[in-house]
Amino acid sequence: METLNMVIDHIPVTAVAGQTILEAALAADIYIPHLCSHPNLHPQGGCKLCVVEVDGKDGLPVTACNTEARDGMTVITKSPVIDKMRSLSMELMLAGHPHDCTSCRSYLNCELQSLMQYLSATGVRMREVHRTAIGINTKNPLIDREMERCIQCGRCVRVCQDLRGVNVLKYKKKDAEAYIGTEEDLPLADSGCRFCGACVEVCPTGALQDREGVFRKDLPREQSLIPCQAECPAHTDIPRYVRLVKEGRYGEAVAVIREKLPFPHALGYVCTRYCEKGCKRTDLNEAIAIRDLKRFAVENDKTELWKARSKQKPSTGKKVAVIGAGPCGLTAAYYLAKSGHEVTVFDRNPKAGGMLAAGIPAYRLPRADLQKEVDTIAEAGVKIELNHPIENVGELKQDYDAVLVAVGAQSGKSIPLSGYELGCSLTAVELLRAAAFDGKTSLIEPGKIVTVLGGGNVAFDAARVSRRLGASVNVICLEAKDKMLADREEIQQAEEEGIRIYAGKANLSIEGSPGKVEGVKVIDVDSFRFEEGKLVVNTVPGTESVIPSDIVVFATGQKTDLTSEFGLELNKFGYPVLPSGGHSTSLEGVFAAGDAVTGTKAVIDGIVGGRAAASEIDHYLGGSGDISEVLLEKENPSPYIGTIEDFAQKVRSEASILGAEERQDSFRLVDLGISCSQADCESERCLQCDLRNQLKKVRLWNSYQYK
Amino acid sequence: MMSICEKTGTVLPEMNEIFNRADETCPVDWALNVAASARLESCGKGTLCRDGINQIWQIIRDITIDKGKNGDLELLKELSDMILLAADCELSGKTALLIQTSLSTHSDEWNAHLTRKRCSALVCAAYYTVHVDPSKCSGCNQCASVCSVKSIAGEQGLIHVVDNELCTRCGACFDICPEHAFLKAGAMKPRCPESPIAVGSFSEGVRRRRRPGGEE
């Protein structure tokens, strides 16, 4: 690296050959005001705020942003002429800019405002400029354009053209008035915009803004800018693996996913998709089908590249017992084994997987695929003892250095309902477990009418399993149809399978005689709400009816089935007390995580709990607690995304679904996933929100030593 | 230093027009046209070119319509000096140089516009009045019918009279009058009847009256 010596305002500065005067000065902590210049963009030299005098040429200022530094150069950054030119330029920009800063969303976060202070400039000497082109193209998804605040520095134009290669934003003229717009003033969505947000990121004023609500405000900015990753409890680097899918590098994509979790395939089938709810593209048309892409990557990973860098620490000689072979327990076991500990997982069920095996039906998650991921965990050195219930944690602790209680929330809750004592009722958890492990339940037989109470995904699992066991099925829930908690696909597919949904109904009683249920008496719900945790329902008088039923299934929540005999201090809801706020329980060396402490949550939440507990336990056992892995070298994605025809209009790829006739009587896989061309198209729809973090932040004048 | 723009000054007049000014051209109006052409042509990338020339245009326009302010000439000079110093292209440099040169070469005329509300070439609309020469008017009434704001009083056979409060200086009456009876006046106002009278009945020197817009 060739260096050169120069003097800026009498301060000796060492610059790198090829740097501009502005770059050299800023690197030396000497502030030169600048506005149209941006560290990621080619200089334009248009705003004239960075003018300096070089080599004693008084009164002949040059723009520092596009003048190359030379060896022996002498630069003066302040003089009467320089000050005058800067002030005048600033006054001119302010003449057409709204005067009231406080009403702007960029207030106190605005480069223009900061420069107004630095230069003590206002626009009052100038004629006020009334602009008419500011009304063009203000209604767009995701991006608010308040062009009366635009000072036409051209950063957005350069980032769109040069850095992104999208070339949507241009300098335009309407009569004599210059403005920043699109070809033929088309709305952004019709002009080829890829909604990458780079224009918003580089705008030094409040002219370009992210639509309020698109990004969370309670997170550090670099996190909130990538909503899918921020919403994922495991913070999987979603834009990164979506990009790898686009490049056909499925093994690499899986490595990225596996950096955060050991169940990529299971999650590819059943993840609750917090990420998709965060997806920025939702506000353009529809979220990216992230879960489908994950599954596609796993199913097309021919290289298993992640294994090469998977980290295995040397044996520590410490023994850890994990109770519960669910997502949480197995995840913790996996990372603890990789941290060098000897791990045994105990589970009372005949199969490993926890709710993945005992709860989620096989038509949603093929058991062979689940078993493969469990096997991978076993291959890491985890011993899995099935059909092995643990009655007391204290006894187990005697043989182990640490114990993790990850027993989940195994006990179905039933709501108090008169007629419950008649029999013929069971919880969804009981139903699903029996169906999963025995292929049948004692109650449900072909021809029986099963009525499921509840409107969540578990209710639909229970309903659709009952359907597959030959029953005729009803679902009753409090919520109106459009407010039901279950996924929209679940509701639709259940209906296709002939399941009747009674939405907006409250249960009054189970009707019948002992040993023989006749139906569920319901009433229409006008509204309901929760007051201090208690449900308050307003019903519509006179709308009572009885839904004929033989069997009633309660899908009304689950809780942990821990009792005091287990040996842990429990709170009033039956969950282990965690005195430290972490995962350690009242017993030294015993930890708890997952649904057993949080109540029923998603698979991904259990995995995250397992990771956190593994880290804490490793630390407790004398390790570093660092379970992070780099399974793929960080690539530096190209900021140049170019154009894609009809990008904004591209609709979400829908997975193939097995026809209702073919699926409703068997446990065959329903969701057949997306095709290769769909995966290609779907990954291309990504807005690549992460690229925005490549753009540098502009330092304001007050942070410089010399200013 | 790279240039951000390659706009040329071909839309602009040449410098010699400033020095060889014809009597019927007003230097302020001429400068206004220079600024108007330049602001249409400016690419918009440079602040001083885009906003500076626009500001020059707005200030000169105000000066031509009696909305000039104290300090305007100094501001015009500062703007053109700085635009010239910072010029990235021939267009902005030449525009600034033409304005700068006009300001110094015709400072009397610029001052007359701004402080004395005079346009010696009778081009700037705010600084002249329109009159009908009573000795030429034939009372044909074509001017009254063509006036869009009905500022001309009179009918067939009468000498027509212009109400300069209403007149917009559009010039339609000048173009239509077969007798070429319309006149522009600066400080010195011609003697005209106060209201329409019969053609031939107005004798010069009978009355002197203060005219609207004039000082007499």
Side-chain angles (χ1 to χ4, degrees), chain A residues 136-346:
Chain A
I136 294 171
N137 220 340
T138 56
K139 300 268 182 293
N140 288 289
L142 291 164
I143 297 171
D144 287 332
R145 287 163 49 87
E146 296 183 13
M147 298 313 280
E148 67 274 20
R149 306 190 190 283
C150 174
I151 42 125
Q152 295 157 340
C153 66
R155 280 190 191 174
C156 56
V157 174
R158 278 172 288 152
V159 84
C160 189
Q161 287 186 358
D162 305 338
L163 199 76
R164 289 282 183 260
V166 175
N167 215 0
V168 162
L169 297 179
K170 299 170 192 309
Y171 273 97
K172 305 243 313 176
K173 291 286 287 251
K174 184 172 187 282
D175 304 323
E177 186 181 330
Y179 67 102
I180 309 294
T182 59
E183 203 66 66
E184 294 174 46
D185 293 334
L186 286 171
L188 290 176
D190 299 328
S191 65
C193 175
R194 298 203 46 191
F195 295 93
C196 66
C199 54
V200 179
E201 191 63 26
V202 297
C203 179
T205 73
L208 300 178
Q209 304 264 1
D210 294 304
R211 177 78 29 88
E212 206 72 67
V214 170
F215 297 119
R216 280 168 62 170
K217 289 184 171 160
D218 57 344
L219 295 175
R221 193 171 153 75
E222 61 273 22
Q223 288 175 28
S224 70
L225 283 180
I226 314 174
C228 53
Q229 188 178 6
E231 293 303 323
C232 174
H235 304 306
T236 319
D237 195 341
I238 293 160
R240 189 174 168 210
Y241 80 71
V242 168
R243 192 177 296 116
L244 289 164
V245 169
K246 172 67 195 148
E247 291 167 7
R249 297 163 68 193
Y250 308 122
E252 285 85 345
V254 172
V256 169
I257 301 166
R258 276 198 171 266
E259 284 184 355
K260 297 292 184 194
L261 46 95
F263 286 102
H265 204 181
L267 289 168
Y269 283 113
V270 302
C271 188
T272 194
R273 297 177 286 184
Y274 296 113
C275 53
E276 293 184 20
K277 290 186 184 78
C279 178
K280 207 175 113 179
R281 183 145 188 153
T282 309
D283 294 320
L284 181 56
N285 56 2
E286 299 154 285
I288 308 296
I290 299 169
R291 185 176 74 188
D292 289 337
L293 288 173
K294 186 189 347 261
R295 180 176 156 193
F296 184 85
V298 176
E299 291 175 359
N300 291 278
D301 173 10
K302 304 281 188 282
T303 60
E304 297 200 318
L305 193 101
W306 65 271
K307 288 186 172 169
R309 285 169 165 249
S310 185
K311 134 180 126 177
Q312 177 61 56
K313 289 188 182 167
S315 172
T316 61
K318 306 276 187 188
K319 289 172 68 184
V320 183
V322 174
I323 311 172
C328 175
L330 287 179
T331 299
Y334 177 68
Y335 289 107
L336 285 166
K338 287 157 72 69
S339 300
H341 310 298
E342 189 187 323
V343 188
T344 309
V345 181
F346 298 96

Side-chain angles (χ1 to χ4, degrees), chain A residues 502-519:
Chain A
Y502 296 91
K505 303 227 184 259
N507 308 302
L508 294 175
S509 59
I510 301 174
E511 302 288 305
S513 49
K516 173 85 180 90
V517 163
E518 275 160 17

